Each structure stands twice: as C-alpha cells, then as structure tokens.
C-alpha cells in the first residue's frame, strides 16, 4: 500500500517536471514519454480519488471523482477554445458527445459485460438509474439535439437568450440530481453490499490531505499534457486521412480513463451500483457542467458555439440512450446488455472513420 502510494505520488511530480522543462517540444521521444506519464497520472488520480472516496463514503466519493473529471474536460476545452479561436467552435460539442457515447456504451457496457461474465447476474437500484437517466435525457435533448432544429439563428447554434436558458436549465437539473443523490434519496445510490463489508483501513487526516493534494496535482498535469499533446494527436490523425472528429473521441477517452478504471474495479468487486453511480453521474456532470462553462467562455470570446448534432449522430445517441434505459429498467443485468452496448460503441467509432 505504501509503495503504491509513493508510486502514485512520484508520477505526477515527474510529469510536472517534464512539462516545465520544455523538453516535450524538443522531440517525439519526449512526447511519447509525456503520453506515458499522462496515462500514469490518470491512474494516480484514480488511486487518490479512491482514498478520498473511502474517507467521505458513498455516494460522495463518486461525485468527487465525476466533478474532478469534468473539471479536466472543461479546462481542456476552454484552453483549446482560447488558443484555437473560431476553428474550435465544434470542440465542446464533439468532446461532450464523444464523452456521452463512451460513458453510455463503453463504461456502462464494459461494466455490464465484465459483471455478467464474472457473476452471471448483478442487481442494483433501478430507482437510482431512473433518476439519473431522466435527468440525462432532458439535458441531452436540450444541449445536443434542439440546437439543430431551432430557427432563431441559422445553423446548429443557439441564440444568446436560448443559450442562457439552456445553461441555467442544465445547472438546475444537475443540482437537483445531486440533491437527490446526497440527501433526499441517498439510499437509492448506496451499494446493497456496503453494509456487509468490513470497514477496512482507516484513512487518517494526513493521508486524506495528501491524497487530495496529489489528486489536484494529477488532474492539473493531465489537463496541461493533454492540451500540449493535442496538436500532435491531431497531426497524426490527419496524416492517416482520418476524420478530425476522432480528436474529440481521443480527448474524451483520456478524460474518462480514471472513471472507467474505477468503475471496472468496482464491478469486479461486485459493486455494480458504484459503477453505475460513476458512469451516469459522470455523463450528467460532463454535459450539465461543461455546456454552461463553455457557453460563458464563448460569450466572452464572442464565438459562435456549435452544439447541434447531425441526424446520424442524433440517431446513434438516441440508440445509445434507449439501449441503456432498457438495460437498466429491471434492476438486474446480464452479459447480453453489455455486449449490445459495446457493439453500439463499435458502431459509433466505425461510422466516424467510415461515415
């Protein structure tokens, strides 16, 4: 435990040192090292977020990780918007859309598949899934679908009053979801096996403070390294004649890696409820907090913010949401649900490469 804690403490510090050394811009070798340190920093963030979650308890631990990951997402999008100007006006939409598809099909699908493979059938609170999915469907339609069909402005844009309304609506829905998760209906979001588990190692105030500090350092360097390496990723994608939309998928995948790992660890320990709290809470935070933030930045930069999806993407998104709703409707899962969701994810990526 101590060795792992030391390892997860050392890696972010090495990553910060490499970033400030300026060597990343010198050669491709240092960029590869930076990429490795980025992934390891993500794993460090996962470890320290688990320590914090153990201290504060559920569902607060999953909320902390979801909000932390959203901070990464917002920071990367805003920094790229500021540096890239008008050409990055679709970045928020592409990243949020990709994150939603990766969460609903990838993280949820993988958790259902692994859980079904190991335990045949797992149970969870269908009330928690219903609360999360009702909130998610509303936010998705308001942010990613309606802009394609509104008529105040030509194109997949919202007018300023519309963007303000939608931003406030997202914050209201997400705020009341957190209220339900932490206060009014907290029991829905607790693992059914939580009361039967031993208390485990107690997290002292010193360990808690250290984990919180290293978590912030890890998330910060992930943002900076992702921003630094994004032009390289984009140039590699273009050199292979692949669509630039893959950049948003890759950024979203890096951002969601901590939650994906944490969700898989939880489901392997037969805690599917924790995995679903992570996945669905992350999807809500990803859209419900990111869109209002980038709306403010786009207004400050006087930039048109493209939010509306095309018809093909709307159909894929609708398929994903509908499949997840059916998969989580009964409170019991099996391997078939996971397979179908993973096939949906494969279709999403395949249709980006071969539209």
């Amino acid at each position: 435990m101590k060795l792992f804690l030391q390892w997860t403490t050392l890696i972010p510090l090495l990553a910060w040192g490499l970033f400030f050394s300026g060597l990343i811009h010198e050669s491709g070798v240092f960029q590869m090292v930076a990429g490795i340190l980025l992934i390891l920093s993500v794993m460090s963030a996962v470890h320290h977020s688990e320590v914090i979650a153990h201290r504060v308890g559920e569902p607060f631990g999953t909320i902390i990780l979801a909000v932390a990951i959203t901070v990464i997402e917002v920071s990367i999008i805003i920094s790229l918007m500021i540096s890239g100007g008008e050409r990055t006006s679709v970045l928020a939409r592409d990243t949020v859309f990709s994150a939603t598809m990766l969460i609903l099909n990838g993280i949820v699908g993988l958790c259902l598949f692994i859980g079904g493979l190991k335990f045949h059938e797992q149970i969870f609170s269908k009330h928690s899934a219903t609360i999360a999915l009702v909130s998610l469907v509303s936010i998705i339609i308001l942010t990613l679908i309606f802009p394609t069909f509104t008529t105040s402005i030509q194109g997949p844009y919202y007018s300023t009053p519309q963007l303000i309304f939608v931003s406030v609506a997202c914050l209201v829905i997400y705020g009341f979801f957190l209220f339900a998760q932490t206060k009014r209906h907290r029991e829905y979001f607790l693992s059914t096996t939580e009361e039967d588990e031993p208390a485990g190692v107690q997290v002292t105030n010193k360990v808690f403070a250290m984990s919180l500090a290293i978590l912030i350092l890890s998330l910060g360097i992930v943002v900076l390294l992702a921003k630094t390496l994004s032009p390289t990723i984009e140039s590699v994608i273009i050199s292979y004649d692949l669509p630039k939309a893959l950049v948003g998928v890759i950024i979203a995948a890096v951002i969601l890696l901590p939650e994906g790992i944490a969700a898989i660890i939880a489901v392997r320990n037969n805690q599917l409820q924790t995995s679903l709290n992570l996945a669905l809470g992350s999807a809500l935070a990803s859209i419900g907090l990111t869109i209002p933030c980038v709306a403010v930045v786009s207004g400050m930069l006087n930039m048109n913010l493209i939010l509306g999806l095309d018809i093909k993407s709307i159909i894929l998104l609708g398929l994903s949401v509908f499949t997840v709703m059916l998969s989580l409707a009964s409170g019991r899962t099996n391997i078939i649900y996971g397979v179908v969701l993973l096939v949906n994810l494969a279709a999403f990526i395949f249709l980006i490469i071969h539209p």
Side-chain angles (χ1 to χ4, degrees):
M1 177 69 178
K2 289 184 178 180
L3 179 62
F4 186 56
L5 184 60
Q6 292 172 356
W7 177 83
T8 55
T9 301
L10 179 63
I11 288 297
L13 298 178
L14 289 174
W16 276 101
L18 178 61
F19 177 79
F20 282 114
S21 70
L23 294 174
I24 298 177
H25 305 285
E26 297 295 328
S27 68
V29 174
F30 287 108
Q31 290 182 348
M32 290 180 61
V33 173
I36 294 172
L37 288 176
L38 188 153
I39 300 300
L40 293 177
S41 295
V42 167
M43 296 177 68
S44 173
V46 172
H47 170 71
H48 290 288
S49 66
E50 287 179 341
V51 173
I52 294 170
H54 183 80
R55 172 62 182 269
V56 301
E58 290 296 338
F60 298 101
T62 56
I63 293 173
I64 290 173
L65 184 55
V67 173
I69 300 306
T70 304
V71 170
I72 295 181
E73 182 178 3
V74 171
S75 301
I76 293 175
I77 292 173
I78 290 177
S79 61
L80 292 177
M81 286 174 65
I82 293 173
S83 60
E86 196 67 34
R87 69 184 181 87
T88 60
S89 58
V90 300
L91 181 64
R93 181 198 66 185
D94 289 347
T95 304
V96 168
F97 174 54
S98 298
T100 304
M101 295 294 286
L102 288 171
I103 291 168
L104 295 181
N105 297 304
I107 296 179
V108 175
L110 201 55
C111 287
L112 298 186
F113 178 78
I114 292 174
L117 202 62
K118 186 173 182 180
F119 300 103
H120 297 279
E121 185 177 78
Q122 290 178 296
I123 61 173
F124 62 95
S125 168
K126 64 179 180 180
H127 300 298
S128 67
T130 301
I131 290 172
L133 288 171
V134 165
S135 305
L136 185 60
V137 168
S138 180
I139 289 180
I140 284 175
I141 292 177
L142 286 173
T143 56
L144 298 178
I145 297 178
F146 271 172
T148 304
F149 302 100
T150 52
T151 57
S152 296
I153 299 178
Q154 286 296 323
Y157 304 98
Y158 268 142
S159 66
T160 300
Q162 289 171 336
L163 193 56
I164 293 173
F165 170 79
V166 168
S167 298
V168 172
C170 287
L171 293 174
V172 168
I173 292 174
Y174 184 67
F176 273 88
F177 169 77
L178 289 183
F179 175 69
Q181 189 178 23
T182 59
K183 295 291 184 181
R184 183 60 61 90
H185 301 294
R186 185 186 174 194
E187 68 277 9
Y188 293 164
F189 297 87
L190 296 178
S191 173
T192 55
T193 61
E194 186 172 320
E195 294 181 357
D196 301 328
E197 293 178 350
V201 179
Q202 294 297 317
V203 178
T204 64
N205 291 335
K206 182 179 179 180
V207 172
F208 175 76
M210 182 178 179
S211 290
L212 184 60
I214 300 300
L215 175 63
I216 294 172
L217 286 175
S218 300
L219 296 178
I221 195 60
V222 167
V223 172
L224 295 175
L225 288 181
K227 179 187 175 183
T228 303
L229 296 176
S230 61
T232 303
I233 296 172
E234 185 173 338
S235 63
V236 170
I237 287 175
I238 292 174
S239 68
Y240 283 96
D241 295 324
L242 295 172
K244 289 181 66 175
L246 276 178
V247 176
V249 177
I250 294 173
I251 292 175
V254 172
I255 292 169
L256 294 172
L257 194 57
E259 279 172 328
I261 295 173
I264 291 172
I265 291 173
V267 81
R268 284 180 59 84
N269 293 328
N270 201 21
Q271 295 179 333
L272 179 61
Q273 184 65 56
T274 300
S275 298
L276 293 178
N277 289 348
L278 275 167
L280 299 179
S282 173
L284 276 164
S286 177
I287 307 178
L289 298 180
T290 300
I291 297 301
C293 290
V294 297
V296 171
V297 173
S298 64
M300 294 171 60
L301 299 177
N302 197 25
M303 178 190 302
N304 288 323
L305 185 63
I306 297 177
L307 290 178
L309 296 169
D310 57 32
I311 297 300
K312 180 186 70 177
S313 298
I314 290 174
I315 293 173
L316 280 170
L317 183 58
L319 172 65
S320 302
V321 173
F322 186 61
T323 306
V324 170
M325 291 180 72
L326 290 178
S327 300
L328 303 181
S330 65
R332 294 179 178 270
T333 67
N334 59 61
I335 195 172
I336 303 301
Y337 301 146
V339 170
V340 174
L341 288 171
L342 290 175
V343 170
N344 287 350
L345 177 63
F348 165 63
I349 297 174
F350 179 80
L351 291 174
I352 289 177
I353 300 173
H354 298 282

